Amino acid sequence: MSETLSNLSREERRFEPPADLAAAANVKEDAYERAASDREAFWAEAAERLDWGTKWDQVLDWSNAPFAKWFVGGTLNAAVNCVDRHVDAGNGDKVAIHWVGEPEGDARDITYADLQAEVSRAANALTDLGVAKGDRVAIYMPMIPEVVVSMLACARLGAPHTVVFGGFSADALASRVTDCGAKVIITADGGYRRGSASALKPAVDEAVAKVGDLVEKVVVVRRTGQDVEWDDSRDVWWHDVVGAASPEHEAEMHDSEHPLYVMYTSGTTGQPKGILHTTGGYLTGTSYTHWSVFDLKDDDVYWCTADVGWVTGHSYMVYGPLANGATQVMYEGTPDSPHRGRWWEICEKYGVTIFYTAPTAIRTFMKWGDDIPAKFDLSKIRVLGSVGESINPEAYVWYRKTIGGAGSGGREVPVVDTWWQTETGQIMISPLPGVTAGKPGSAMKALPGIEVDVVNDEAESVGNGNGGYLVIREPWPAMLRTIWGDDQRFKDTYWSRWEGLYFAGDGAKLDEDGDIWLLGRVDDVMNVSGHRLSTTEIESALVSHPKVAEAAVVGASDDTTGQAVCAFVILRETAGDGGADIVEELRKHVQKEIGAIAKPRQIMVVPELPKTRSGKIMRRLLKDIAEHREVGDVTTLADSTVMDLIKGKEGAGA
Ligand code: ATP
Ligand code: MG
């Protein structure tokens, strides 16, 4: 990657911040300047957003780099910051969560006062079950309010939680429980997805059987009422233990560096890593960025559609928004249950003003057609966010127009493309909606207080107009502290490539204005006849064709060119089967958009793509198909049947 990536997209659209939003924005232009002149003072000011038991005496201790300590000597309680202090400030009646179950009509509003009582009860119940400060608790639950209550109860006690995505198998759960040594698992009998009740408890039983005596108690929320196996010595019902507990709980102040949670990365590239986040810095980073990037106001209704089993569900559904005292929507099910307008119906009903989702969802809605969101009143929406992978320019423009096109006076609203990782804990690169212009497909610039750069193999800045490796130059508050139980792996994985630089694994380029375009993981960069091509740009070229909704590109080994571009595409429903010449049409389209070098050798039209729970395409599995290999590990796929669907198409359309 030392040389510039060969293909540079020709995206030239640019959208300035709306004047009224800019005038009232939480964060103004000067924040960049202030942060650059004294980064620690800037983050210390952000930390003042929180309530501290004891104030810190040192903002950052970086003497034992790369092991950071933020707000050294300070104490606080994350649950108190997310709940109690809002009640104490007189906002107990404010809705914290408009919870919407998948079955229609199954909804609940939870105020901050309700949340305080529930979290306190759960903290008391967990204490009675033997959970003490420092013990680990695994949480394997559907998207129901109890998952938030469980996380906050753990945080209150100082018992780090590890939330495992409810779609993962018993094996995946068992390996995470073992790795972090969890003695209690909180789960549910099941949850609703795609129109029916799916079971969770059997996977817990299977996982517990695998891990030996480690797990002492399993707490089960009754959600669906389905039959469950029961072990009296180990299993307890949530409604029994939490229901009977006192709603009063005295919270202890924990050290700023006390572990808050361990989150296993989604495993797009390989063996999951237990990313450790601690308390003071994490809460500072997430609450500040949630407030600044989404320009959060007191009367906003915010909705982040991420599953809680992903880091986005931690930072931008639980800790960031609740620390900010926001009102938010939480939805249990899938976007198409019972109809494909469900999300928009929810936006209309609750008057959602800030909406945060992933490109994969946006492309799915593009595939389904514009007439679906058009049936609903989305006029309250004022900021749209995207996270998880690069947003293809076409998907960005569609999102702005179709979902955000009903702003006041029919105006389109800003889209913030937010780049960050499980490891970074907080958003790192994103426009600020009232300050930064938006360019479709670009995450624009590092937030105030964040120092990123794009470098070559020698760690030299590549400068504007060039591509290279995305690195972070200075520590930031919500940064990971280590990999759970493996400091060496932490150093090797993130800090060993270049002295003093955090390497994130992603490629990026700077345009002539110095704005940042994420180009996907460097492992995915293809080398075709000596040209380095980014998967992201070819995928975006494919998605810019009116018949295409989604595309995934991999480099497959090729005798003549080294690697050849292989593409997998999902068509928009309006395109039918695409017509007899669809493959040729798309190959030509890529040639026209980028150049002959990027023209795919092979294009397969497929019904689905393999994705992780955060909606990322698992290219390594597609590469297995393109290179005619046995398909590798599929345990972190959101839907493991997808590979069979794709393999069924193999040979067709190539
Ligand atoms: P693993 O590290 O186990 O392979 P993962 O990287 O998929 O898993 P996450 O931490 O959820 O797990 O994802 C972070 C990655 O997602 C980033 O490194 C980047 O590749 C991608 N990403 C996230 N947001 C964006 C964005 N706005 N633009 C481009 N890429 C993004
Ligand atoms: Mg990663």
Side-chain angles (χ1 to χ4, degrees):
M1 287 268 287
S2 50
E3 62 232 82
T4 307
L5 283 156
S6 303
N7 52 316
L8 292 175
S9 71
R10 296 173 212 136
E11 179 57 56
E12 272 163 6
R13 288 168 286 192
R14 186 188 162 96
F15 304 103
E16 295 302 328
D20 51 347
L21 197 155
N26 288 347
V27 177
K28 306 277 200 284
E29 180 92 55
D30 70 300
Y32 292 100
E33 189 90 8
R34 276 191 297 121
S37 70
D38 192 342
R39 213 165 23 84
E40 291 186 18
F42 175 82
W43 286 119
E45 188 190 309
E48 299 282 4
R49 306 173 54 74
L50 305 176
D51 278 5
W52 294 81
T54 320
K55 202 166 159 188
W56 60 89
D57 30 54
Q58 190 185 2
V59 176
L60 168 67
D61 177 359
W62 192 230
S63 59
N64 185 30
F67 300 94
K69 290 195 175 127
W70 280 88
F71 309 112
V72 185
T75 64
L76 75 169
N77 186 295
V80 168
N81 273 284
C82 289
V83 183
D84 303 52
R85 66 170 178 150
H86 306 311
V87 179
D88 294 345
N91 292 322
D93 292 338
K94 183 171 179 180
V95 172
I97 300 172
H98 291 295
W99 177 75
V100 184
E102 191 180 90
E104 282 178 296
D106 185 7
R108 245 158 90 190
D109 280 353
I110 296 144
T111 64
Y112 276 96
D114 297 336
L115 201 54
Q116 184 183 35
E118 277 299 291
V119 170
S120 299
R121 279 198 171 91
N124 284 320
L126 288 174
T127 306
D128 290 343
L129 293 173
V131 175
K133 181 168 178 171
D135 290 342
R136 275 81 62 205
V137 175
I139 299 177
Y140 183 69
M141 285 170 93
M143 288 284 285
I144 55 178
E146 288 82 357
V147 73
V148 179
V149 172
S150 300
M151 290 164 75
L152 292 171
C154 289
R156 197 171 182 99
L157 297 175
H161 54 73
T162 188
V163 179
V164 179
F165 175 52
F168 281 173
S169 64
D171 280 341
L173 175 61
S175 67
R176 286 158 175 76
V177 164
T178 308
D179 189 77
C180 74
K183 65 193 263 192
V184 168
I185 302 178
I186 310 178
T187 187
D189 50 358
Y192 291 96
R193 279 192 85 71
R194 294 197 178 80
S196 59
S198 65
L200 280 175
K201 177 77 167 35
V204 175
D205 294 337
E206 207 185 316
V208 171
K210 280 184 206 293
V211 303
D213 308 334
L214 179 61
V215 176
E216 294 165 15
K217 290 286 172 201
V218 175
V219 185
V220 188
V221 175
R222 185 180 278 151
R223 164 68 187 129
T224 59
Q226 63 202 112
D227 282 341
V228 288
E229 298 276 319
W230 205 255
D231 176 341
D232 280 323
S233 66
R234 186 195 73 199
D235 299 341
V236 293
W237 284 110
W238 172 281
H239 54 261
D240 287 338
V241 294
V242 176
S246 158
E248 309 283 332
H249 180 270
E250 181 89 34
E252 177 187 340
M253 295 294 136
H254 303 296
D255 189 90
S256 177
E257 282 300 332
H258 189 73
L260 182 61
Y261 68 83
V262 178
M263 169 96 256
Y264 289 83
T265 52
S266 60
T268 309
T269 48
Q271 173 68 18
K273 302 170 279 278
I275 304 301
L276 175 68
H277 285 293
T278 60
T279 310
Y282 176 78
L283 221 51
T284 299
T286 53
S287 82
Y288 172 76
T289 50
H290 178 257
W291 174 79
S292 57
V293 171
F294 299 106
D295 191 46
L296 182 80
K297 301 286 198 267
D298 197 40
D299 56 355
D300 272 316
V301 179
Y302 165 83
W303 183 13
C304 166
T305 66
D307 190 277
V308 68
W310 178 28
V311 71
T312 306
H314 282 50
S315 298
Y316 298 105
M317 190 185 83
V318 178
Y319 291 107
L322 295 178
N324 288 334
T327 293
Q328 64 178 325
V329 169
M330 175 178 182
Y331 171 57
E332 176 185 33
T334 51
D336 53 353
S337 293
H339 58 82
R340 290 172 163 186
R342 188 74 195 272
W343 278 13
W344 316 123
E345 184 179 76
I346 294 170
C347 284
E348 175 180 288
K349 171 156 190 219
Y350 293 99
V352 168
T353 58
I354 303 171
F355 184 74
Y356 191 30
T357 195
T360 179
I362 299 167
R363 292 186 304 251
T364 301
F365 293 118
M366 283 169 69
K367 178 171 79 177
W368 290 348
D370 301 11
D371 52 322
I372 296 172
K375 292 193 198 106
F376 300 92
D377 178 5
L378 305 176
S379 62
K380 294 241 169 64
I381 292 178
R382 58 183 204 90
V383 178
L384 292 169
S386 171
V387 58
E389 51 184 339
S390 296
I391 179 165
N392 319 95
E394 238 26 74
Y396 176 113
V397 170
W398 184 91
Y399 192 32
R400 218 186 120 88
K401 273 202 168 72
T402 317
I403 306 304
S408 60
R411 195 192 61 203
E412 296 170 12
V413 309
V415 173
V416 289
D417 174 13
T418 64
W419 179 89
W420 59 294
Q421 308 179 296
T422 308
E423 293 87 341
T424 69
Q426 64 181 79
I427 298 170
M428 304 295 276
I429 307 176
S430 168
L432 289 172
V435 178
T436 328
K439 297 179 183 173
S442 171
M444 303 304 288
K445 58 201 253 182
L447 291 179
I450 302 295
E451 295 291 328
V452 307
D453 200 358
V454 180
V455 301
N456 63 18
D457 284 307
E458 281 70 50
E460 297 153 350
S461 303
V462 295
N464 293 358
N466 298 308
Y469 305 98
L470 181 71
V471 296
I472 306 172
R473 289 200 176 275
E474 298 290 344
W476 63 101
M479 67 195 288
L480 77 166
R481 298 304 194 259
T482 189
I483 291 177
W484 183 258
D486 201 343
D487 288 348
Q488 192 56 45
R489 189 171 175 210
F490 166 64
K491 288 201 250 182
D492 294 346
T493 309
Y494 304 107
W495 302 92
S496 62
R497 188 121 170 200
W498 302 285
E499 179 77 36
L501 293 184
Y502 170 90
F503 176 47
D506 288 349
K509 77 179 185 212
L510 297 175
D511 66 17
E512 295 301 340
D513 301 325
D515 292 321
I516 303 168
W517 298 71
L518 276 305
L519 295 176
R521 296 161 197 277
V522 293
D523 309 337
D524 290 336
V525 169
M526 297 169 286
N527 194 325
V528 180
S529 306
H531 296 265
R532 288 160 184 271
L533 305 178
S534 123
T535 53
T536 303
E537 285 186 305
I538 302 176
E539 287 164 5
S540 289
L542 285 162
V543 173
S544 74
H545 188 282
K547 289 183 184 168
V548 176
E550 284 215 66
V553 162
V554 296
S557 57
D558 186 279
D559 292 342
T560 41
T561 55
Q563 279 191 319
V565 178
C566 291
F568 297 76
V569 299
I570 301 179
L571 299 179
R572 293 202 200 198
E573 292 190 354
T574 46
D577 69 356
D581 301 325
I582 183 70
V583 169
E584 219 22 58
E585 197 177 319
L586 295 179
R587 293 181 72 224
K588 288 210 182 98
H589 179 73
V590 174
Q591 173 164 10
K592 173 170 77 67
E593 291 292 308
I594 300 179
I597 188 73
K599 193 168 160 183
R601 177 186 75 185
Q602 184 184 3
I603 296 182
M604 279 165 76
V605 176
V606 293
E608 258 311 331
L609 289 168
K611 286 176 195 152
T612 64
R613 70 190 151 175
S614 57
K616 286 198 238 300
I617 296 163
M618 290 239 239
R619 290 190 188 72
R620 66 178 165 81
L621 299 180
L622 295 174
K623 204 167 158 144
D624 289 342
I625 290 190
E627 296 183 340
H628 309 291
R629 256 194 316 273
E630 190 69 16
V631 172
D633 182 12
V634 295
T635 52
T636 54
L637 273 182
D639 175 359
S640 54
T641 60
V642 162
M643 289 315 289
D644 301 328
L645 281 175
I646 296 172
K647 279 186 287 183
K649 290 275 165 181
E650 209 178 350

